[in-house]
Amino acid sequence: MIPVEVHGIAVGCSAHIGRYGYVASAPYTAPEARTPLVISWLDDEQLAAVDATEYPNYRRVLLSGEQYPMLMPSGERLPAAYLYVGERGVLMSPDGTERPLPGGGDQSALLTRLLAGSPRLRELLGPDPRSWVTRAGADPAVRREGTRIFQEEGWTLPQPDLLHRPHHGPGGAVGPPGHDALSTPE
């Protein structure tokens, strides 16, 4: 794994409730962003294992290094890399102050904020983050309903620029270039 600075991509909150009841992170386009991410070089078996954990909530897309420059610590630019993009986009804040919500932070604070913004989520998931994770983690129907509420509340920001890129993996395998076409740094 190597750190890489990606231009034009930032990290927000995925607009779905994950299988263990949490709200995971997802990338989104942000023209002025310079985001530190990590890149891994995986073989076919490893890539298939990661695909299996991400599908159907994420799609693996091929990100162009020309459109989204990716710089390694050495200064070398990557020609392309795969990126897992949220199928439902990213979450905006319930009060409209942040578009989109930043990902990767305090999950309890995030869930508290989302609960405060929607009586429907409170009715479905309870009054606090602990009840949210317990209920959502135990029941796929609750996760689907909570995800639907995000959309109905108008909190989702789709990412068509990322989702309409060539995609790979379950439900969307396309031909070359595969991961073998992406060079491994020396």
Side-chain angles (χ1 to χ4, degrees), residues 12-18 23-26 57-58 86-92 143 146-151 155-158:
C13 297
S14 183
H16 83 281
I17 299 174
V23 176
S25 296
N57 293 309
Y58 294 88
E87 287 282 356
R88 293 170 195 84
V90 293
L91 284 176
M92 297 183 297
R143 294 191 295 274
T147 298
R148 189 174 61 76
I149 290 171
F150 291 163
Q151 183 174 11
W155 298 350
T156 61
L157 182 61

Side-chain angles (χ1 to χ4, degrees), residues 8-168:
I9 298 291
V11 178
C13 297
S14 183
H16 83 281
I17 299 174
R19 84 180 98 216
Y20 298 110
Y22 58 90
V23 176
S25 296
Y28 65 94
T29 57
E32 302 303 318
R34 304 293 183 263
T35 304
L37 297 174
V38 175
I39 192 163
S40 299
W41 278 262
L42 306 175
D43 63 28
D44 288 335
E45 186 177 332
Q46 293 165 331
L47 193 56
V50 175
D51 283 344
T53 67
E54 302 306 312
Y55 182 79
N57 293 309
Y58 294 88
R59 182 183 311 169
R60 179 168 42 100
V61 302
L62 189 60
L63 199 63
S64 162
E66 286 192 29
Q67 186 173 6
Y68 300 97
M70 296 170 257
L71 303 171
M72 297 197 323
S74 66
E76 179 182 357
R77 285 182 61 153
L78 297 175
Y82 287 129
L83 180 70
Y84 286 91
V85 178
E87 287 282 356
R88 293 170 195 84
V90 293
L91 284 176
M92 297 183 297
S93 65
D95 61 9
T97 59
E98 292 182 82
R99 296 179 50 109
L101 284 171
D106 180 344
Q107 189 75 184
S108 181
L110 171 65
L111 301 183
T112 297
R113 186 173 183 184
L114 296 173
L115 288 167
S118 173
R120 294 172 62 204
L121 281 177
R122 286 192 304 277
E123 182 179 328
L124 177 69
L125 296 163
D128 58 41
R130 183 179 304 273
S131 63
W132 171 311
V133 172
T134 299
R135 290 179 188 179
D139 189 343
V142 169
R143 294 191 295 274
R144 284 190 300 275
E145 178 66 11
T147 298
R148 189 174 61 76
I149 290 171
F150 291 163
Q151 183 174 11
E152 290 174 356
E153 293 282 0
W155 298 350
T156 61
L157 182 61
Q159 293 298 298
D161 290 347
L162 292 176
L163 286 175
H164 291 127
R165 306 190 72 69
H167 57 279
H168 302 261

